[in-house]
Each structure stands twice: as structure tokens, then as C-alpha cells.
Amino acid sequence: MTNVSHPAPQVSQNEAVDIAMRHFGIAGTAAPLDSERDRNFKLTAPDHSLWILKIVNASEPLVESEFQTALFDHLERNSPDLAVPRLRKTVQGASLAHAKGPGGGDHAVRLVSWLPGRPLAESQTTPALLESLGSALGRLDRALQGFIHPGALRSFDWDIRQAGAARQRLHHIDDEQDRALLERFLDHFDAVVAARLPALRAQVIHNDANDWNVLVDPERPERVAGLIDFGDALHSVLIAEVAVACAYAILDAEDPIGAAARLAAGFHAEYPLREEELDLLFDLIAMRLVTSVTLSAARRDRTADNPYLSISEAPAWRLLRRLDRMNRRFATAILRHACGFEAAPGARAVTGWIAANRLQLAPILDRHPATLAKALVPYGDPHNPMTVTSAAQQPEKATAWWDAYCAEHGIALGIGPWGEARTVYTSDIFQSRFVEGARRANHLGLDLFMPAGTRLYTPLAATVRSVEIEEDPLGYGCLVALEHRPQGCPPFVTLWGHMAHEAGRRLKAGDCLEAGALVGEMGTPVENGGWAPHLHFQISTDTSLAARDILGVGEERYLAVWKELFPDAADLAGIPPETFRQNGRSRPEIVAARKASLLPNLSISYSEPIKFVRGEGVWLIDDRGRAYLDCFNNVCHLGHAHPDVVEAIAGQAAKLNTNTRYLHDAIVTYAERLTATLPAGLSVASFACSGSEANSLMLRMARSHTGRSEAIVLDWAYHGTTQELIDLSPYKYKRKGGKGRPAHVFEATISDSYHAPAEWPVDEHAKRFAESVAEQIADMARQGRAPGLFLAESIPSVAGQVFLPEGYLAEVYALVRAAGGICAADEVQVGFGRVGSHWWAFETQGVTPDIVTMGKPIGNGHPMAAVVTTSEIAASFNNGMEYFNTFGGNPVSCAAGLAVLDVIERDGLRRNALEIGNYLMARFKALQDRYDVIGDVRGQGLFLGIELVEDRKSKAPATALARRINDRVRARGVLIGTEGPHDNVLKMRPPMIFSRANADHLVGVVDETLAAVLAERA
Ligand SMILES: Cc1ncc(COP(=O)(O)O)c(C=O)c1O
């Protein structure tokens, strides 16, 4: 080992001039320079070139001097552009000269060029300069890759791998606390760091980029101009290069870890560091300081106070004290992040997994938070009374303000977003340990504000990590930490703060919780650290942190790092992103804009209209992040935004969309697939863009085939929006704005068994109601007319979800056909397996129509429609007039249609419709037993109606009640509708993917609403 206490060679200026002349042929002047071990002179040559003459300490083994010259030679050969000193050969052409010292010792001598620049020690350290230093070192070390020399394998106090030896110097530290501080770093080094060092990349490094060895360009102070003094170079771990440079460059920095991160990032850009290297950087910086202060103390004890030795001692102590207060995991996260690595290994996979699986998570609250009306708590506004009273630790006042706000705005759940800058964190615990003078003010959890006692459930299976009570004012109160290890996801921890102490008594570390199991309840201010009741819910992707070490609030500067360590828990808690961000126009603005630029009779649902911004499965999400259970819109047959359909549409649109004048596979495949779902005979398909268009086409076919325009429809039917279909829609022509029944249209009574005369035997309903059709035919006959068409929905919908009595269509079809007419089934609402038992609702009546029209669910939202008929009718329609429909049957529509058929079959959705439909029927019938106002419950598959009556005997329609129920069900986050001539039938047509849980949700809300509305009425 080098004897570092051996004094520097005593060589005079004159002797130096003489050595320079003799060995290097330079007749210059020499000025002495400071050096710890060697004797250095600045040499000015007659040509004004500047040099450093180094007379090496005689105690230094020659091999080390040779190593240095070899190193310079290597750089000269391989990286002539690097800003490092250049070696001047001796007059004999050698790299090293030798001179006898005054004591007779043999000294190696070398001459290197003087590099211009101002020492970093005398420069202003800026982030850009730190980065430049990092990149200068990165370039240097990249150039040194692969270089080796026996002299590089030195045993040396300054080799970071030897840093543990500082323990033997601890007795030189007088102050007990200082010693304890160093011991903490040494203990961690011995326990964790030392064992990992041998596995790291090693090579020759400079090893002493202290601020006197780094030169800054005075013209461009953000740039490092050169690196000097390779006296400490050795073969060691590469990361030591960065650690050593940091140990000096970040002394007294406002944000030392931030400064180290810039330096490391600069290095990384030139010479990519590895995660396992960065993971030790924090400790290696500290250990360089530990080495430095202990060596200084040892030498001070041995030598007469050498100011050079203790030059950086005081700032080193200051930095050590700061590092000691920091959490090394957080510091490491900052360093890793600066180099583009995850703040904690696996962090990005955790957030990715949660996002991909968010729909499978168990709800954290009794009712899924997505479905609740939400608002942000005002902690982002420092002047809001809730913020002010919370900061003043007056939780009762804060709670009262929030409760009043919720009552006024119908809010059920308050949200405190991730990342929000808040002024409520007034206590000392929120002082930053990283940035001098800064506070931690940005929220790193997700707050859910609900009344104390609100029960909270784990969204995923978990093991209890810890349960503790934190007593600090404005702390967590009862704090629970759970660990989750879902399949396919790195483990992560969730933190549950401000809980009732009950959880502490019930749970203990090691307990296993199923997904959906109770974690605890929101605590009162007495238990929860002195806050308005809420849950602080947080994820930590670093599972090594103890619950109390997890930062609940962080520095704004490091939000990007905290976002990976403690990602936003909104997805895990089931809070839709729309809760936090609104786009586009507000609801009133849209209403006003519609008034200004759209038809005034374009109807809007609800007196307080909803703005939806996203659909997902059975849910529609509004502009404030509330998810409504969609039990009304049957167009989204497979659920909103079904991925298969979206992909089919997008894929085909990206490839080709044209019209039926060109050949394409999709239209014929689709026609084959569609007709295969229908009874034999219904074999010819044609495509259109809307239900109305399909019915219009059907009408043309019927008229061509029969030569008659006379049609029989059922009362209160609706078949489309064109004039000829309005003429066939009593629901339109009989109501406001309608012109009454046209002469060619004949209206049969709606065959509504619930309202059948009491004296009719039930098994005669079909026959009795069919008589109304017979009467219309007779009426026509009296006018010398005959029916061309009988048109009916297979389950009349706008007439009030009316289920035709068994055998009704068979009776009617026979009558119509006997009179020379054809029969069409409008399956625009009820087709595509909605009834569950069959593909088509007419099949439940045991009939085969002559024409079937389809729309709404056919493309899961893509505007398309179809007409399927017999070859005979198709032949009649082929009367010489070409049929062309610009958009009908285009490749994109057919792709959508095919995807819908595929999904219905693949996912067994007809079976689901049947099972869930039966379940809903049973549950609604059970409600009927409890509520007299429910006159009738009817349904088939996922097509259901509940008729509300004032009196079960008279069956007087409870129209106002039905409207109120509809509104209040909406207020509870569920969409249904009202229908029927008296608008007293609750109408439900949920998507085919409706689950039992969705069914329970719907029934629960209807039940709750009925109870509440009836209680108000009482
Ligand atoms: C039974 C029935 N037929 C036809 C139509 C018309 O369909 P579209 O609105 O697609 O033109 C509707 C629309 O509500 C309908 O309910």
C-alpha cells in the first residue's frame, strides 16, 4: 500500500528547471504548485506553452507511475480529443524520466501539458455544469474501457471498495454522535453494499474528480473544459467515478441528490450506467465522504494540522448529516429516474397491470366509487374555508363545510387528487429532507372523503403488512399497509391512512384478505390524525418501505419520481379519469349551442341533461367521472366500445371502405352468416344504414310484391322517422304534431294481456286480440281493399314493453296471408338474441315472417341496418329499378356486423341474456310482492318492463310516479326509461353482457328508489 504519509519530495525551483531542461529539453521557468504527495511545478516554456512537471513521491511504486504514463499514452492514441493533460516524451523518447531527490531517493518524473480553465472549486456549480462534468467523466471512462496495466491494480484508501476500512479510523472521531452517524453508513455498507460491489463493472477510472481536478471553461461556465490529476486512477468499480465526483460536486448544494442526479445523467448519456450501479450510488457517495472525514481525522491526529488534508471536511460533514436524514430508497429513486430507469424496479409494470385489470378489481366502497356523484375537495384552493380550517387543525369545522357542500350539490364522494399542491400540510413533519428550505406539499395519495364509519374493502387479495397508530398531529391516525401480489404483476403495497382504530384491533400483520374483504372504516377526527373523515389511499411500488416511510406528501420538484414510486391510486380505487379533468363545453353551454344550431325538437333525456364522454361495457361515464349503469340503450348490444367491434371497424376502415358496386368478401360472408341465424326461407339480405331505412326498403318490397299499399299496424307502434314510416306509426301520427291515421293504414288493438278485459280467459288472449286484426281486414274489404302488409314489432316496445300473448302472431299471420298480404317483423329493437331463448323475438311466437327488418344492435353502435326476406319477394322487388345504397353493406359495416355475430356466439351472450333476464324477472317479481305500485313485471331475456299503477285493480297508470322513479334512478346512477301510452312502464334493455352483479345493482337501485319516492309520497 502507498505510504500516504511519506512527505512530498523536496525539490527546489532551480532543480525543477534543471530537470525540465535535462529530460525534456525545455528551458522554462518553474513555479511550485500545491500537491499532497508529489512535488509539482508549473513550467512556462519560452514559446509560452505551459506544462506541469511532476516529481513523484519516492514511496510510490514505479509500476504506478508507469501505469499513469501508460494511461496517458492510451488516451493519446485512442481519444486525442479528450480534454485531459497530454504527456510530453523525454528527449530520449521515453514517457517517464527519473531523477534523484535530495534524500537520494529515485523519483519518477513526467511532464504533462497544462490545461487551461478555472477549477470547479472556484466556479458557480449549475445543473448544466454538473451534467457537463458527468458527460466529461463518461467520455473519459468510455475511452478507458478495456485499458489495463499492472499498476492500476492498487490497494488504496481511496478505492471505494476499501471504504469499509474507515471503521478502523472511527476512534479518531471525537464526537459520539458524529461517530454514530458514520457507523450507520458503515453498517449499511458492510451489510448490503460491499457484497454487491464485486458484481459491478470494473475498469480503470480517474477516481478523483474533486472540484480542484475539474476545470471549467471560463468562456462557457456551463461547460467542463478538462480533467486533471490522474494520481488516484486505479482499476475499480465504474460507478465509483460518479460517486467520487458527486461527493465533491454536491457539497453544500441546495438539493444534493438533485445535483448528483444531473451529474449521473450526464455520465449516463455518454456511458450508460446500469441499474445495479445506480442502486449503490447514494451509499458510495456517502462512503467517499466517510473515507474523507475519517482520513482527515486520522491525519490530523498524526500530522501537524495540514490544511490541504481537511480542506473539504466541514462541508463533507454537513453533507453527511443531510444524507443521513434522507431515505436512501427515495434518493436512489431520484438517481435512477434521472437516468431513465424506473424509480423502483417494476414500478411501471405495476401501474400498467392495474390499468389493464382495473375492471376486474373489487370495489373499494360498498357502492363502486365510479358510480357515485363526485366532486374534488377544495384543498387545492388555499383560501377555501375547508382548507383553512383543516390547516388550522379544526377538523369539525372542515367537516361541516364539506358536508354542507355535498348536501347542496348532491355529492356522495369527495376526491383529493394525486399530485395536488396543498397548503394544509403545516406541521414540521412536512419539511423536505432533499431540498433545503422546501416543504413537501404535493399529495401522493388519493383521498376519498365520505362520512366516518364508511366501510372500505381491498380491491385485490392482500396480506396485511402492518397496522399501526400514528399519533403526529395531521398524521395518519390508524394506518394499515397491505401487500398485493397479483399474478403477472410485481408485488406492491397499498397504504390506508386515517382509518378508525377498529382496524388495528381486528387486523394483524400476516393476515390474508380476499379481494373485496373489509379493511376497515374511515375514522373520526379523534382517530384519524385530526382530519375531516377520509381515506388516504396510496400505492407504493417499492415494497421494502415501512408504512411510515412511505411519503404521503412529496416535493413538487420530484413529482415525476414520486409518480413511479407512489403512482396515482385512482385506477386501483376505480375512480374514472374524467373525475379530475373536464374537456369541451359545459352542459349548459352544450344545451345553449344545441338550441342555437340544432333542431329544437331534437329531444334530450332528463330535465338536467347528462353529458357522457365515454362508454365502457355496461357503463356510460359522464363528464365528471360518474359511471352510469346503462340499462336503457340497446344499441350497444355487446356493451359500449366493445373492443372486438372497435377493432373490426378500425381495421377495415384503415384498409378499405367502398360500396356494393365492387366485389368484396365481407358483404357476402355477412349475408350468409346473418341469414343462417334465421329460419329457412329467409335467405336474401340487403343492407341499409338505419332502422327507418330498413323499414322503408321493406315497405317498397311489400308494395312491389303485393301491389298493395294497405298496411295493418298495432296501436302505439313506432317504425321509423321517414314520412312513410310516421304514417305507419300510431305512436307518432296520433300524438302531438301528428296528422292522424292515413287512409291506407289500419290500426289493430295492441295485444296487451295485462290490460285485456278481465272476462277473457288467458288462454284465449291470442285469439281475442287477433280479432282486432280480422276486423281491420274486414274493414278494408268493406272499402274494397285488402292488406298488403302486416307490420309489427315482435315485442312492441314504445307501446310499453308489451309481450304478445302466446300464439298471437300465428293467428294474425294466418289472417293476413289468407287475405293476400305479407307479414313483416320489425326486430329493430328486439333482435340479435336479446330474448335469450332465440336469435329473433318472432321465433318465440313460432312464426316465420316474410320479411324481417333489423337495426339498432346490429353493429353495436355502428350505423347499419338490414332487411332479410324470401327469394320470392326479392324476385318481385327486382322490377328493373336498380337498388343502390351508398353506405349500406359497405365493408366497414359488414366487418362490424360480423364482429357482433362472432361475439354473441363466442361469449354465449344469448345464454347470458336468458339467465340474467330470468334472474331479473325473479327479483323484480319479488319487488312486486313488496310494492303495490308494481302492477306488472314482464320480460324476456334482457328486454323488460315494469308497469306502475296507482291501483292494482283499476290498473290506473302511475305516470307521475314512473317519471319520478326514472329521474331518481338516474340520480342514483342508473339509466332506464319510461314507455307506453301512459308513460308508466319502466323500460329496461341492458347490454347482453349484463352480469348478475349488474342485475343486483339495478334491482337494488330500483328498490331503494321506490322506497324513497313512496316514502315521500306518503
Ligand atoms: C321498432 C323500431 N323500428 C324502427 C326504428 C327506426 O330505427 P332508426 O332510428 O334506426 O331509423 C326504431 C327506432 O327507434 C324502432 O324502435
Side-chain angles (χ1 to χ4, degrees), residues 107 158 186 452 678 803 879 942 1008:
H107 296 277
W158 293 108
L186 279 161
L678 288 153
F803 288 82
N879 58 4
L942 290 174
E1008 217 176 275

Side-chain angles (χ1 to χ4, degrees), residues 337 343 418 555-565:
H337 192 266
W418 187 97
E555 293 83 349
E556 180 159 32
R557 180 176 298 187
Y558 289 117
L559 269 185
V561 178
W562 309 144
K563 192 158 189 74
E564 289 194 348
L565 272 186

Side-chain angles (χ1 to χ4, degrees), residues 46-127:
D47 65 357
H48 304 297
S49 63
L50 297 173
W51 303 88
I52 296 181
L53 183 72
K54 182 176 271 290
I55 296 131
V56 179
N57 194 307
S59 73
E60 183 165 301
L62 181 60
V63 69
E64 290 183 9
S65 290
E66 286 172 348
F67 155 53
Q68 288 211 25
T69 50
L71 189 155
F72 283 124
D73 281 343
H74 175 88
L75 293 179
E76 182 73 47
R77 267 196 314 278
N78 297 301
S79 302
D81 299 336
L82 276 182
V84 291
R86 297 294 161 184
L87 197 66
R88 166 116 176 192
K89 298 273 159 110
T90 67
V91 284
Q92 281 88 25
S95 299
L96 210 54
H98 296 273
K100 284 265 177 267
D106 184 32
H107 296 277
V109 178
R110 71 174 167 270
L111 189 68
V112 293
S113 60
W114 173 274
L115 282 193
R118 186 190 309 136
L120 177 63
E122 292 169 353
S123 308
Q124 176 75 23
T125 315
T126 60

Side-chain angles (χ1 to χ4, degrees), residues 690-693 695 718-721 793 826 828-829 856:
S690 70
S692 301
E693 223 190 330
N695 276 337
Y718 174 67
H719 293 293
T721 193
E793 275 190 275
D826 182 333
V828 168
Q829 291 227 22
K856 292 191 193 281

Side-chain angles (χ1 to χ4, degrees), residues 416-671:
W418 187 97
E420 183 173 72
R422 294 176 170 181
T423 50
V424 284
Y425 303 115
T426 46
S427 89
D428 282 350
I429 58 173
F430 298 105
Q431 217 100 42
S432 171
R433 295 183 178 193
F434 288 103
V435 186
E436 201 171 309
R439 295 186 69 79
R440 294 186 291 125
N442 290 74
H443 189 231
L444 302 181
L446 171 80
D447 284 339
L448 303 183
F449 281 74
M450 285 185 94
T454 297
R455 290 157 74 84
L456 299 158
Y457 307 90
T458 174
L460 284 164
T463 309
V464 177
R465 278 277 297 261
S466 61
V467 191
E468 58 201 294
I469 310 291
E470 203 188 73
E471 303 286 2
D472 292 324
L474 296 182
Y476 282 127
C478 179
L479 179 65
V480 178
L482 304 182
E483 184 168 325
H484 310 276
R485 293 179 168 272
Q487 249 200 336
C489 177
F492 65 94
V493 167
T494 51
L495 199 65
W496 307 63
H498 312 301
M499 306 281 278
H501 290 191
E502 170 276 335
R505 293 187 287 274
R506 190 169 36 79
L507 299 176
K508 59 178 190 319
D511 285 355
C512 291
L513 303 179
E514 296 283 309
L518 181 71
V519 179
E521 296 172 0
M522 290 188 194
T524 60
V526 183
E527 297 184 296
N528 76 5
W531 294 94
H534 72 282
L535 167 71
H536 174 100
F537 185 54
Q538 184 168 347
I539 299 171
S540 175
T541 56
D542 183 339
T543 53
S544 72
L545 295 169
R548 279 167 186 254
D549 291 338
I550 290 174
L551 279 186
V553 184
E555 293 83 349
E556 180 159 32
R557 180 176 298 187
Y558 289 117
L559 269 185
V561 178
W562 309 144
K563 192 158 189 74
E564 289 194 348
L565 272 186
F566 312 118
D568 189 349
D571 271 351
L572 189 61
I575 309 292
E578 292 80 4
T579 310
F580 306 98
R581 287 173 293 281
Q582 277 79 39
N583 306 311
R585 302 187 208 193
S586 69
R587 297 177 191 199
E589 283 168 348
I590 293 179
V591 171
R594 279 171 68 121
K595 274 198 183 123
S597 52
L598 296 178
L599 280 177
N601 46 354
L602 195 64
S603 69
I604 308 184
S605 293
Y606 305 113
S607 47
E608 276 182 49
I610 315 177
K611 178 182 176 186
F612 284 121
V613 293
R614 190 160 58 87
E616 186 168 62
V618 296
W619 303 100
L620 276 172
I621 293 102
D622 79 3
D623 55 342
R624 292 164 203 164
R626 185 173 194 190
Y628 287 75
L629 185 65
D630 187 359
C631 305
F632 185 67
N633 293 287
N634 58 340
V635 171
C636 50
H637 200 51
L638 317 176
H640 292 277
H642 194 285
D644 291 57
V645 183
V646 170
E647 201 184 312
I649 292 173
Q652 187 56 50
K655 199 185 282 176
L656 172 74
N657 202 16
T658 177
N659 61 61
T660 50
R661 287 206 170 104
Y662 308 103
L663 299 186
H664 195 269
D665 284 311
I667 189 168
V668 283
T669 306
Y670 185 47

Side-chain angles (χ1 to χ4, degrees), residues 876-940:
S876 308
F877 185 56
N878 186 18
N879 58 4
M881 185 189 288
E882 144 190 298
Y883 174 68
F884 177 68
N885 186 318
T886 302
F887 297 120
N890 70 66
V892 171
S893 299
C894 291
L898 279 165
V900 169
L901 296 180
D902 285 344
V903 173
I904 293 172
E905 281 166 4
R906 185 196 67 197
D907 296 349
L909 294 185
R910 273 177 45 206
R911 195 183 58 243
N912 187 64
L914 192 63
E915 279 172 18
I916 303 298
N918 288 342
Y919 178 67
L920 278 169
M921 281 297 287
R923 295 224 39 202
F924 283 136
K925 289 234 189 256
L927 282 192
Q928 189 179 19
D929 293 340
R930 292 176 31 226
Y931 296 102
D932 285 345
V933 290
I934 300 185
D936 192 29
V937 172
R938 45 192 185 244
Q940 227 166 4

Side-chain angles (χ1 to χ4, degrees), residues 713-962:
V713 295
L714 298 183
D715 195 5
W716 218 255
Y718 174 67
H719 293 293
T721 193
T722 63
Q723 187 54 54
E724 62 194 352
L725 295 173
I726 296 288
D727 288 347
L728 291 175
S729 302
Y731 168 74
K732 289 285 182 197
Y733 65 62
K734 281 166 82 160
R735 291 163 76 222
K736 241 188 187 165
K739 297 229 167 353
R741 180 172 63 85
H744 67 283
V745 176
F746 295 78
E747 203 179 286
T749 316
I750 179 82
S751 39
D752 177 355
S753 281
Y754 179 62
H755 289 282
E759 63 279 13
W760 287 7
V762 173
D763 57 358
E764 284 185 19
H765 280 189
K767 223 180 194 61
R768 298 289 185 106
F769 277 117
E771 281 166 12
S772 168
V773 174
E775 280 162 20
Q776 298 307 314
I777 295 173
D779 198 18
M780 283 185 203
R782 278 191 291 278
Q783 298 175 32
R785 311 173 90 157
L789 171 71
F790 170 78
L791 172 64
E793 275 190 275
S794 306
I795 307 169
S797 182
V798 291
Q801 306 291 87
V802 176
F803 288 82
L804 302 173
E806 200 181 325
Y808 171 79
L809 283 184
E811 291 279 346
V812 171
Y813 280 17
L815 291 169
V816 172
R817 283 170 177 158
I822 61 166
C823 301
D826 182 333
E827 292 266 342
V828 168
Q829 291 227 22
V830 293
F832 289 93
R834 177 161 288 282
V835 292
S837 56
H838 299 84
W839 268 103
W840 308 101
F842 65 74
E843 294 176 283
T844 64
Q845 287 274 315
V847 295
T848 301
D850 303 298
I851 309 184
V852 183
T853 58
M854 308 161 185
K856 292 191 193 281
I858 184 171
N860 208 51
H862 184 79
M864 58 188 286
V867 180
V868 181
T869 188
T870 61
S871 50
E872 293 78 18
I873 293 175
S876 308
F877 185 56
N878 186 18
N879 58 4
M881 185 189 288
E882 144 190 298
Y883 174 68
F884 177 68
N885 186 318
T886 302
F887 297 120
N890 70 66
V892 171
S893 299
C894 291
L898 279 165
V900 169
L901 296 180
D902 285 344
V903 173
I904 293 172
E905 281 166 4
R906 185 196 67 197
D907 296 349
L909 294 185
R910 273 177 45 206
R911 195 183 58 243
N912 187 64
L914 192 63
E915 279 172 18
I916 303 298
N918 288 342
Y919 178 67
L920 278 169
M921 281 297 287
R923 295 224 39 202
F924 283 136
K925 289 234 189 256
L927 282 192
Q928 189 179 19
D929 293 340
R930 292 176 31 226
Y931 296 102
D932 285 345
V933 290
I934 300 185
D936 192 29
V937 172
R938 45 192 185 244
Q940 227 166 4
L942 290 174
F943 203 69
L944 302 117
I946 297 179
E947 182 154 348
L948 299 183
V949 292
E950 292 298 348
D951 167 45
R952 283 196 179 169
K953 220 170 152 53
S954 72
K955 301 182 179 173
T959 303
L961 178 71

